[in-house]
Amino acid sequence: MVAFYGTELENRLMLGTSQYPSPAILERAFKTSKASVATVSLRREGRDGAGQPFWDIIQKLGVKILPNTAGCHTVKEAVTTAQMAREVFDTTWIKLEVIGDTDTLQPDIFGLVEAAQLLTEEGFNVFPYCTEDLVVADRLLGAGCEVLMPWGAPIGSGMGLNNEYGLRALRSRFPNVPMVIDAGIGLPSHASRAMELGFDAVLLNTAVAKAGDPVKMALAMSQAVAAGLLSLEAEPMEPRDMASPSTPVIGQAFLS
């Protein structure tokens, strides 16, 4: 199990809820993968009106809800959205996004730290969507965040882990801080690699929702996360520059 803000989760896969072909497929993807967390956008969903069927489905899943501030470009916008999300979804958890660049959807790190400070002072459990920058991470922790969510690559790109060096450095610098790789995961191998690097969970959406078979991909991602964790715990061998025979030659007879 892994714990975030005192809440233990059995499955380390977190899934988004947008872009699925149908609500039924979304529901099957969650149930098949046994994902523990569903991210939800307040801008798209709500408890009343048109959002009611969606909210009914999410409640039936029995997973932890992580509302996000997707689409927010200013501190005021993100904080206001978080406050509304707390009322709508009845949770202090919030995935904090403050977007700084519309092409890459890279977070505005200055606004992110400011918004995180304001929200933690209001009692929110903030999950900040950030880069792998060590200084930014330190500022977010200083602002009261107890979890970090560095990107693997731009949102929806499917490129995987663009900067393994930076992610390894981040994991090494803050070994006791729970961290979730968020954004950019496109293949199960990407998710597995994130876990092998020592991250605590993986959050993804597009790779599952836009797959030819979202249900199968959701299962593949869940199994990849589990496999990556097992690999980390097994302490894999270090890569070598030279070949090393797997069959020992000491004690064997040689014919001349």
Side-chain angles (χ1 to χ4, degrees):
M1 286 191 177
V2 62
F4 298 103
Y5 289 106
T7 298
E8 292 188 342
L9 304 175
E10 291 188 8
N11 193 307
R12 295 170 185 249
L13 176 66
M14 303 178 176
L15 280 181
T17 55
S18 66
Q19 305 184 72
Y20 288 81
S22 71
I25 291 177
L26 181 153
E27 186 174 5
R28 288 174 54 205
F30 267 86
K31 289 184 176 179
T32 301
S33 68
K34 295 182 172 61
S36 293
V37 173
T39 59
V40 209
S41 173
L42 183 67
R43 289 171 171 262
R44 191 172 58 88
E45 316 297 349
R47 278 186 177 172
D48 302 313
Q52 186 64 47
F54 173 84
W55 179 241
D56 290 342
I57 291 173
I58 296 301
Q59 286 183 307
K60 290 177 182 177
L61 295 176
V63 299
K64 182 71 176 177
I65 303 299
L66 177 59
N68 65 41
T69 62
C72 294
H73 289 76
T74 67
V75 171
K76 182 178 180 180
E77 193 177 14
V79 170
T80 301
T81 300
Q83 291 168 338
M84 291 189 293
R86 178 167 57 183
E87 294 182 15
V88 171
F89 298 110
D90 191 26
T91 179
T92 56
W93 278 25
I94 191 72
K95 177 189 170 186
L96 179 60
E97 296 183 28
V98 183
I99 301 301
D101 182 80
T102 54
D103 291 329
T104 63
L105 299 181
Q106 180 168 328
D108 172 0
I109 57 176
F110 305 103
L112 184 67
V113 172
E114 183 181 348
Q117 179 78 55
L118 293 171
L119 290 173
T120 54
E121 289 175 355
E122 288 191 23
F124 281 90
N125 301 134
V126 179
F127 292 70
Y129 162 63
C130 60
T131 63
E132 66 277 18
D133 188 286
L134 297 177
V135 177
V136 174
D138 189 56
R139 296 290 190 275
L140 287 168
L141 295 174
C145 297
E146 297 180 15
V147 175
L148 296 175
M149 300 186 78
W151 66 349
I155 294 171
S157 68
M159 291 190 291
L161 308 181
N162 274 356
N163 183 8
E164 280 203 14
Y165 168 80
L167 291 172
R168 286 197 303 270
L170 181 65
R171 180 70 283 180
S172 177
R173 177 68 62 87
F174 307 103
N176 299 318
V177 176
M179 295 188 193
V180 182
I181 290 294
D182 174 24
I185 298 296
L187 296 170
S189 57
H190 299 157
S192 182
R193 183 58 181 156
M195 299 303 295
E196 288 178 331
L197 291 178
F199 289 88
D200 299 283
V202 172
L203 192 160
L204 55 93
N205 187 165
T206 310
V208 168
K210 290 297 186 179
D213 189 328
V215 177
K216 284 185 178 179
M217 184 58 77
L219 177 60
M221 289 294 186
S222 181
Q223 292 178 342
V225 167
L229 178 61
L230 283 174
S231 175
L232 176 70
E233 293 174 344
E235 300 180 7
M237 63 173 286
E238 294 292 331
R240 299 168 175 167
D241 292 329
M242 301 291 291
S244 177
S246 57
T247 302
V249 296
I250 298 176
Q252 291 184 350
F254 287 87
L255 300 178
S256 59

